[in-house]
Amino acid sequence: METKKDFFLECYQLGIIKFGRFTLKSGIESPFYVDLRPLASDPKILKKLANYMLDMLPLDNFDLICGVPYAALPMATAMSLESYLPLIIKRKEAKQYGTKKLLEGIYTQGQNCLLVEDVITSGASLLETIPEIENEGITVSDIVVVLDRQQGGKEILENKGFRVHTLFTISEVCSILKEEGHLSDDEVERINDFLAGNVVKFKEEKRISYEQKLDLCDHSVAQKLLEIAIEKKSNLIVSADVTTTQELLALAEKVGPHIVALKTHIDILIDFNSDQTILPLKDLATKYNFLLMEDRKFADIGNTQELQFAYGMYKISNWADLVTAQVIAGYDSLDCFRNVGVVAILGMSSKGTLTDSSYREEATKIALSHPNVFGGVAQNKIPNELLLFTPGINLADSGDGKGQQYNTPEHAFAQLETDFIIVGRGIYKSNDPEKSALTYRIAGWKAYEQSL
Ligand code: 5BU
């Protein structure tokens, strides 16, 4: 059976909470941002949410249900459909014509109305809405809220005699997200600080710039990537996980001007052909000045990797500028990647990955000491001598329902001090990949500059 925690994680996938550095309307800086409106766009989730909310309440107490405009309107509607409690609609502003009514729907004086709110912060919008409902002769005794930001609103309302039922609190949600690896200790500490009413100290430590990294990283591929990043003002790598040559080339043409590298999984192409796939791809790479990164994730003994790298139909060694490789087979297994740069897989972005901290530590030692390796893929900070590549970046989603876990470019730069963000579906699945690539490029560059 689904638990409340599972349900929250399902909601989280819709991108309802973002972590980073946000300036609130009041000018205060917050380490998180909540927007529950996406919940209304997933009918299954909305229906479940309605039932979770109703389950918290003694329904006999109510004659009517009403959502605080606007975010809670679909929630109240769904709850009405699930419970048969009649819905009334509260306007934000009175109509300028006709009845000038603030409340729409069928109601009579003396009825008790259940009020629905998406997020409670200071309680200000509820304190504004309740008298407007009470002015119509309707009573309000209970308020049901999806998420309590724990900034005093609930207590203020309870002190005024209202019963406030909340489905989730921000602390509860943070501990779920911490448990699932979505939040670092630093972030949790900052959130707790914020909830305790303190001014949050965002880390002011500076990361080192691409120019400084140029002095530090001596692998020729690392230098080339950094030079392209500086020249194009981009730290974006597009993951071209498409399955035909035509799609691959069309995507490369569209995103080429915005990227430092195009990441391929060449073995997912159904029509790979060296002349028709690789030659035009290399031309595009030259035309738009980007590198080719084959995300092969080699994971075998050196001899087999050497064959996989240079032979077979893909002949990766002939065209890739950089490849990804696991370090599971040990230091010597990486010797074969002589004419490319290797990005070692240190930690993965997927839920339940086995790349725990002791694995990462050992893998990082190998990456640091092997001359073919110039970077790492990870979801945590790595030493400055290595370039950090971060996949699992998406501005719209928190996950893909298949184990992928997403973060924003802001998170990757502020928390991980990444060097390059890798974006797949956020770009190639969008209606306009060129425009999306530009959006991610701008977001990535801004996040980099802010982290300096
Ligand atoms: P997405 O569509 O943005 O989820 O694609 C991410 C890409 O990065 C995809 O090609 C993965 O194979 C790749 N990836 C990843 O997502 N997470 C990891 O830890 C590693 C690679 Br390593």
Side-chain angles (χ1 to χ4, degrees):
M1 219 191 71
E2 186 189 69
T3 61
K4 199 172 126 190
K5 174 181 161 186
D6 297 333
F7 175 64
F8 170 74
L9 288 170
E10 226 183 295
C11 295
Y12 179 68
Q13 300 276 321
L14 300 181
I16 55 171
I17 304 185
K18 301 248 187 281
F19 298 96
R21 187 173 186 167
F22 303 94
T23 307
L24 302 178
K25 253 190 251 156
S26 54
I28 295 171
E29 292 206 308
S30 166
F32 60 92
Y33 179 77
V34 178
D35 176 6
L36 300 190
R37 275 166 287 212
L39 296 176
S41 304
D42 186 316
K44 273 194 200 146
I45 287 188
L46 184 64
K47 187 178 161 102
K48 270 198 233 173
L49 175 69
N51 284 305
Y52 273 107
M53 303 272 271
L54 290 166
D55 282 349
M56 294 193 290
L57 303 161
L59 287 184
D60 294 347
N61 290 359
F62 313 113
D63 309 300
L64 300 166
I65 186 165
C66 179
V68 178
Y70 291 101
L73 292 185
M75 296 169 184
T77 310
M79 288 170 73
S80 164
L81 291 171
E82 293 296 303
S83 64
Y84 296 110
L85 273 178
L87 181 81
I88 54 172
I89 300 162
K90 158 83 181 56
R91 288 184 172 280
K92 257 203 154 163
E93 278 102 28
K95 278 198 292 191
Q96 296 303 307
Y97 53 89
T99 56
K100 299 200 173 158
K101 270 172 41 177
L102 265 173
L103 271 188
E104 305 283 353
I106 302 170
Y107 56 88
T108 51
Q109 294 213 342
Q111 285 186 307
N112 190 28
C113 179
L114 170 64
L115 214 53
V116 185
E117 177 65 302
D118 61 335
V119 180
I120 183 166
T121 308
S122 65
S125 61
L126 280 161
L127 287 170
E128 203 179 291
T129 302
I130 295 169
E132 291 172 347
I133 295 179
E134 288 177 336
N135 281 345
E136 299 293 318
I138 294 173
T139 58
V140 174
S141 58
D142 293 65
I143 300 145
V144 62
V145 182
V146 183
L147 181 73
D148 181 2
R149 281 190 59 136
Q150 293 173 288
Q151 283 159 262
K154 183 170 189 252
E155 292 68 27
I156 291 175
L157 284 152
E158 283 174 343
N159 286 338
K160 290 189 181 288
F162 298 102
R163 280 186 292 267
V164 184
H165 314 262
T166 54
L167 184 59
F168 298 111
T169 64
I170 195 77
S171 320
E172 186 186 355
V173 153
C174 286
S175 63
I176 296 177
L177 294 176
K178 165 110 203 306
E179 221 175 282
E180 295 294 314
H182 294 292
L183 280 178
S184 66
D185 290 341
D186 269 9
E187 284 173 305
V188 173
E189 196 180 312
R190 208 171 302 132
I191 292 162
N192 288 337
D193 235 25
F194 177 78
L195 295 176
N198 303 328
V199 174
V200 186
K201 291 182 285 303
F202 287 91
K203 234 199 277 118
E204 297 302 343
E205 263 171 42
K206 305 283 178 234
R207 58 160 289 143
I208 67 168
S209 66
Y210 292 132
E211 284 82 359
Q212 288 166 308
K213 286 232 161 187
L214 261 177
D215 288 336
L216 211 60
C217 306
D218 46 19
H219 195 289
S220 63
V221 177
Q223 300 243 330
K224 186 83 199 133
L225 266 179
L226 289 164
E227 281 162 6
I228 297 175
I230 295 165
E231 191 187 318
K232 287 174 120 172
K233 285 195 185 320
S234 170
N235 44 51
L236 175 64
I237 295 177
V238 166
S239 185
D241 301 337
V242 293
T243 53
T244 64
T245 295
Q246 196 193 0
E247 289 170 287
L248 177 67
L249 298 177
L251 182 67
E253 177 75 53
K254 284 186 191 137
V255 304
H258 303 300
I259 58 176
V260 291
L262 189 77
K263 186 173 84 62
T264 50
H265 283 291
I266 208 69
D267 56 353
I268 63 176
L269 289 178
I270 54 169
D271 57 357
F272 176 85
N273 171 301
S274 188
D275 289 347
Q276 277 149 37
T277 310
I278 295 302
L279 292 184
L281 190 59
K282 287 199 80 146
D283 285 345
L284 287 170
T286 308
K287 179 173 166 194
Y288 292 118
N289 192 24
F290 61 80
L291 300 189
L292 295 176
M293 173 177 188
E294 167 55 17
D295 192 7
R296 175 63 179 75
K297 298 190 185 71
F298 293 95
D300 214 316
I301 57 166
N303 185 61
T304 308
Q305 290 191 154
E306 187 157 22
L307 296 169
Q308 290 169 325
F309 180 47
Y311 294 85
M313 63 193 267
Y314 302 116
K315 299 191 177 50
I316 297 166
S317 65
N318 281 353
W319 54 269
D321 301 294
L322 57 157
V323 296
T324 56
Q326 305 280 1
V327 288
I328 188 105
Y331 183 98
D332 293 354
S333 70
L334 302 169
D335 292 348
C336 59
F337 304 117
R338 270 173 294 270
N339 58 344
V340 282
V342 175
V343 177
I345 311 292
L346 307 174
M348 295 197 66
S349 63
S350 46
K351 194 173 155 193
T353 176
L354 301 181
T355 53
D356 61 8
S357 58
S358 64
Y359 177 88
R360 294 200 304 262
E361 208 175 297
E362 291 309 309
T364 304
K365 279 186 205 158
I366 295 182
L368 276 172
S369 58
H370 202 294
N372 291 345
V373 180
F374 72 93
V377 181
Q379 299 294 324
N380 54 280
K381 274 191 210 170
I382 62 171
N384 273 333
E385 293 75 13
L386 294 168
L387 296 181
L388 176 57
F389 295 74
T390 308
I393 299 290
N394 199 303
L395 287 164
D397 296 322
S398 308
D400 65 356
K402 299 181 201 171
Q404 176 68 299
Q405 305 178 112
Y406 286 125
N407 283 304
T408 57
E410 220 268 327
H411 170 93
F413 281 94
Q415 303 300 321
L416 316 179
E417 297 180 3
T418 198
D419 294 300
F420 298 103
I421 51 170
I422 298 176
V423 184
R425 283 162 287 184
I427 291 177
Y428 72 80
K429 283 249 172 166
S430 82
N431 293 334
D432 187 344
E434 186 175 356
K435 200 166 144 215
S436 301
L438 179 62
T439 305
Y440 278 94
R441 171 190 176 181
I442 291 171
W445 195 259
K446 191 171 151 218
Y448 161 69
E449 286 189 321
Q450 276 174 352
S451 67
L452 282 177

